[in-house]
């Protein structure tokens, strides 16, 4: 029986753990299959405040974990398969049969970037393949970039990357784009953007040294294979929030992101809070995730002190 359990790590979960541990609440943090979240697949992080020379993503997460442990946070590994938020204490079932109970729960399970599932993709994540233009665009200054996708996210990523790249080639498997007209028009008017439409991505190509040299595609019109030359390949086909295990007990939007009361981390279930990318459809940055982790811990602490209004479901449904 714990005062608070944090599901998931990453910048949000670990920040929540630091704050709750410093408040002497001794939280339990349940780490999933990727302890530290998406930053563990990132090499250099240069936009997290306090590191003027940058820091490796895994090192940043390791430092945050050690800081939480220093103040008394407890860690365990496992995958939460089922939760029961219908009564208190809340119950969490983890793979392997372990069951935990808590007065409060903070959900920081993040959102997983969608990948193409093609050869050379996963092997080169952080080494030329990326899913975050804001995170990694700077490293491709003056280089060629390929962006895969046809929605608004792909248009936004392509436009952003033209600030750094010599040119950006937008690759989409169909001739028509799914993006809104205003987003398409904005990108089409950018002289740095090239187009490789009606091309199906086949594999990430590398040179003899292992460096990414482009994206192999099939031209659907001619059925011929082509190489889209690029020093970096950015996958922009969306994210999937990790909320399936909740079984619909927490209110989510149409895409599965947890809905929180504006300006807080409160969900529709009193005593259950959400932070980080699992409730963030817009920013998805390490620093914003960390900030929301701080918010979740403070909201959780106040709830445990009995200072919060409990009828949040009315506010969320209105």
């Amino acid at each position: 029986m714990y005062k608070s359990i944090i599901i998931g790590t990453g910048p949000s979960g670990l920040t929540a753990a630091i704050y709750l541990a410093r408040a002497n609440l001794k939280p339990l943090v349940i780490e999933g299959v990727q302890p530290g979240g998406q930053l563990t697949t990132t090499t250099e992080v240069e936009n997290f405040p306090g590191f003027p020379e940058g820091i490796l993503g895994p090192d940043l997460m390791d430092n945050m974990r050690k800081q939480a442990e220093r103040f008394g946070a407890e860690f365990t590994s496992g995958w939460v398969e089922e939760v029961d938020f219908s009564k208190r204490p809340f119950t969490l079932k983890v793979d392997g049969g372990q069951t935990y109970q808590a007065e409060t729960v903070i959900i920081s399970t993040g959102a997983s970037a969608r990948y193409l599932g093609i050869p050379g993709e996963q092997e080169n994540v952080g080494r030329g393949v990326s899913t975050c233009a804001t995170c990694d665009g700077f490293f491709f200054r003056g280089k060629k970039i390929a962006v895969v996708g046809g929605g608004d996210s792909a248009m936004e990523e392509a436009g952003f990357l033209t600030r750094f790249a010599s040119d950006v080639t937008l690759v989409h498997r169909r001739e028509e784009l799914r993006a809104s007209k205003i987003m398409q028009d904005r990108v089409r008017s950018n002289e740095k953007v090239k187009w490789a439409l009606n091309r199906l991505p086949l594999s990430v190509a590398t040179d003899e040294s292992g460096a990414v040299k482009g994206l192999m595609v099939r031209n659907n019109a001619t059925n011929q294979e082509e190489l889209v030359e690029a020093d970096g390949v950015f996958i922009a086909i969306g994210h999937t929030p990790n909320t399936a295990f909740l079984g619909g007990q927490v209110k989510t939007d149409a895409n599965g992101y947890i809905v929180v009361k504006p300006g807080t981390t409160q969900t529709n279930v009193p005593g259950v809070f959400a932070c980080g990318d699992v409730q963030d459809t817009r920013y998805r940055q390490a620093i914003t995730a960390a900030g929301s982790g701080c918010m979740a811990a403070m909201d959780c602490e106040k709830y445990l002190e009995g200072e919060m209004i409990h009828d949040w479901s009315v506010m969320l449904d209105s």
Side-chain angles (χ1 to χ4, degrees):
M1 178 68 181
Y2 291 85
K3 286 283 186 183
S4 184
I5 289 179
I6 300 168
I7 308 175
T9 49
S12 60
L14 291 174
T15 300
I18 292 168
Y19 271 75
L20 288 179
R22 289 188 76 251
N24 203 32
L25 292 174
K26 297 180 174 61
L28 172 68
V29 183
I30 302 178
E31 296 181 310
V33 294
Q34 190 179 42
Q38 292 188 59
L39 274 191
T40 58
T41 65
T42 303
T43 50
E44 196 79 13
V45 178
E46 294 192 327
N47 55 4
F48 199 93
F51 299 94
E53 302 302 322
I55 183 171
L56 295 176
D59 290 346
L60 177 60
M61 293 299 91
D62 187 52
N63 287 345
M64 293 176 74
R65 189 186 197 277
K66 289 176 180 176
Q67 191 172 357
E69 287 179 316
R70 173 193 168 197
F71 293 115
E74 181 182 337
F75 286 79
T76 187
S77 298
W79 188 261
V80 178
E81 296 181 329
E82 185 181 341
V83 297
D84 184 358
F85 292 156
S86 64
K87 60 183 182 297
R88 291 181 182 78
F90 301 131
T91 301
L92 286 70
K93 294 183 179 179
V94 180
D95 59 342
Q98 185 67 46
T99 299
Y100 298 97
Q101 290 187 319
E103 294 180 38
T104 59
V105 172
I106 294 177
I107 303 168
S108 60
T109 47
S112 301
R114 296 173 189 157
Y115 287 94
L116 298 167
I118 59 177
E121 183 181 42
Q122 288 297 321
E123 302 94 306
N124 289 291
V125 170
R127 299 171 48 191
V129 173
S130 174
T131 58
C132 180
T134 308
C135 309
D136 299 328
F138 177 83
F139 300 110
F140 296 89
R141 187 177 294 277
K143 297 183 178 181
K144 294 177 179 292
I145 293 176
V147 175
V148 182
D152 281 355
S153 294
M155 301 303 112
E156 186 174 351
E157 298 270 276
F160 177 83
L161 289 167
T162 58
R163 303 180 187 181
F164 309 102
S166 58
D167 62 69
V168 174
T169 302
L170 207 149
V171 181
H172 186 48
R173 60 182 176 175
R174 298 188 180 92
E175 194 69 43
E176 302 80 19
L177 300 170
R178 293 179 291 105
S180 59
K181 186 177 184 303
I182 188 171
M183 291 296 291
Q184 291 189 44
D185 291 345
R186 188 176 300 166
V187 176
R188 288 186 185 279
S189 65
N190 192 318
E191 295 180 352
K192 280 191 172 184
V193 177
K194 300 178 179 179
W195 298 86
L197 300 180
N198 205 22
R199 265 81 168 175
L200 179 68
L202 299 175
S203 65
V204 175
T206 57
D207 60 22
E208 294 179 355
S209 68
V212 169
K213 67 176 183 179
L215 186 69
M216 288 299 302
V217 300
R218 176 182 293 117
N219 186 322
N220 292 326
T222 64
N223 207 35
Q224 297 296 310
E225 294 187 8
E226 305 169 353
L227 175 66
V228 176
E229 293 185 5
D231 302 293
V233 177
F234 284 73
I235 314 298
I237 55 176
H239 291 72
T240 301
N242 301 317
T243 54
F245 72 98
L246 297 172
Q249 295 182 66
V250 175
K251 185 176 181 180
T252 59
D253 65 14
N255 295 313
Y257 286 89
I258 294 176
V259 176
V260 295
K261 178 186 174 185
T264 78
T265 61
Q266 304 165 24
T267 71
N268 64 303
V269 181
V272 177
F273 308 88
C275 57
D277 289 8
V278 76
Q279 53 83 55
D280 180 6
T281 62
R282 183 173 182 178
Y283 299 104
R284 292 193 291 266
Q285 296 298 298
I287 190 62
T288 54
S292 69
C294 166
M295 293 168 61
M298 295 178 74
D299 286 346
C300 180
E301 184 180 359
K302 288 182 179 180
Y303 175 83
L304 289 169
E305 292 173 354
E307 296 177 2
M308 287 196 138
I309 299 172
H310 286 194
D311 194 16
W312 299 325
S313 59
V314 175
M315 292 180 280
L316 283 169
D317 293 335
S318 61

